[in-house]
Amino acid sequence: DNYYPTMSFSELEAMRPDIDKIADPDNCLLFMWVVSPELDRCIEVGKAWGFEYITVAFVWYKERANSGNYTMSSCELCLLFKKGKIPPDRVRNPGQKQFISEPVSIHSRKPACTRERIEGMYPVSKKIELFARQKVPGWDCWGNEV
């Protein structure tokens, strides 16, 4: 709440009707950035939206450490969920690596190379970024900052 308004997990889960309107019911992927302390709750949000959790798509090493309760927090995870089947335009073995090492920029802005990697894996699929902080060519962007 220090940087922008946030939503509770209940409010996020209640977005299911809106997600259903934009997500292909037959072959859709969801890449979701999560905070580690709330990993289980974030997976529940993906499931509440009708997606099945698959794997960790990306691990972003922020090139700095924040103090944490147990270890110094320096990574953020992007989880991968699917609804139906994998989109048919998938590039097999696209060479996209899971690990991203990029410095932090403004608060909560994710590395642009993440979008580029997704585009490399799924060059034709429609793409939307929820809670976007900027407009990106080739993507629909939804959020209170765009």
Side-chain angles (χ1 to χ4, degrees):
D1 288 334
N2 293 337
Y3 299 94
Y4 44 76
T6 59
M7 298 173 72
S8 70
F9 284 103
S10 297
E11 290 171 318
L12 288 167
E13 289 172 353
M15 290 178 61
R16 171 74 185 259
D18 296 319
I19 301 301
D20 283 345
K21 289 177 186 174
I22 59 174
D24 185 318
D26 299 320
N27 52 16
C28 186
L29 297 179
L30 168 65
F31 292 84
M32 179 190 292
W33 287 102
V34 302
V35 292
S36 296
E38 298 290 354
L39 182 58
D40 58 339
R41 296 292 310 271
C42 295
I43 290 173
E44 289 303 316
V45 169
K47 289 178 179 179
W49 289 354
F51 288 83
E52 171 190 358
Y53 171 71
I54 302 299
T55 191
V56 174
F58 302 108
V59 176
W60 172 29
Y61 170 58
K62 298 180 177 185
E63 299 183 2
R64 74 163 195 216
N66 295 321
S67 61
N69 291 323
Y70 304 97
T71 61
M72 299 292 284
S73 174
S74 60
C75 292
E76 198 164 323
L77 303 175
C78 180
L79 305 182
L80 179 59
F81 298 78
K82 80 173 178 175
K83 182 184 284 195
K85 298 180 180 177
I86 296 172
D89 67 320
R90 175 177 65 164
V91 174
R92 297 231 180 240
N93 193 18
Q96 304 300 341
K97 295 184 178 171
Q98 183 184 52
F99 187 74
I100 298 169
S101 182
E102 294 277 335
V104 174
S105 63
I106 67 168
H107 181 75
S108 194
R109 181 170 288 171
K110 308 308 182 219
C113 69
T114 308
R115 280 187 221 89
E116 295 162 6
R117 290 178 187 197
I118 294 169
E119 291 166 354
M121 293 186 288
Y122 300 93
V124 179
S125 291
K126 293 180 182 178
K127 297 162 187 70
I128 185 167
E129 183 172 351
L130 303 180
F131 309 108
R133 307 212 44 212
Q134 62 192 10
K135 292 184 177 189
V136 178
W139 289 64
D140 288 322
C141 296
W142 175 87
N144 65 1
E145 294 187 20
V146 293

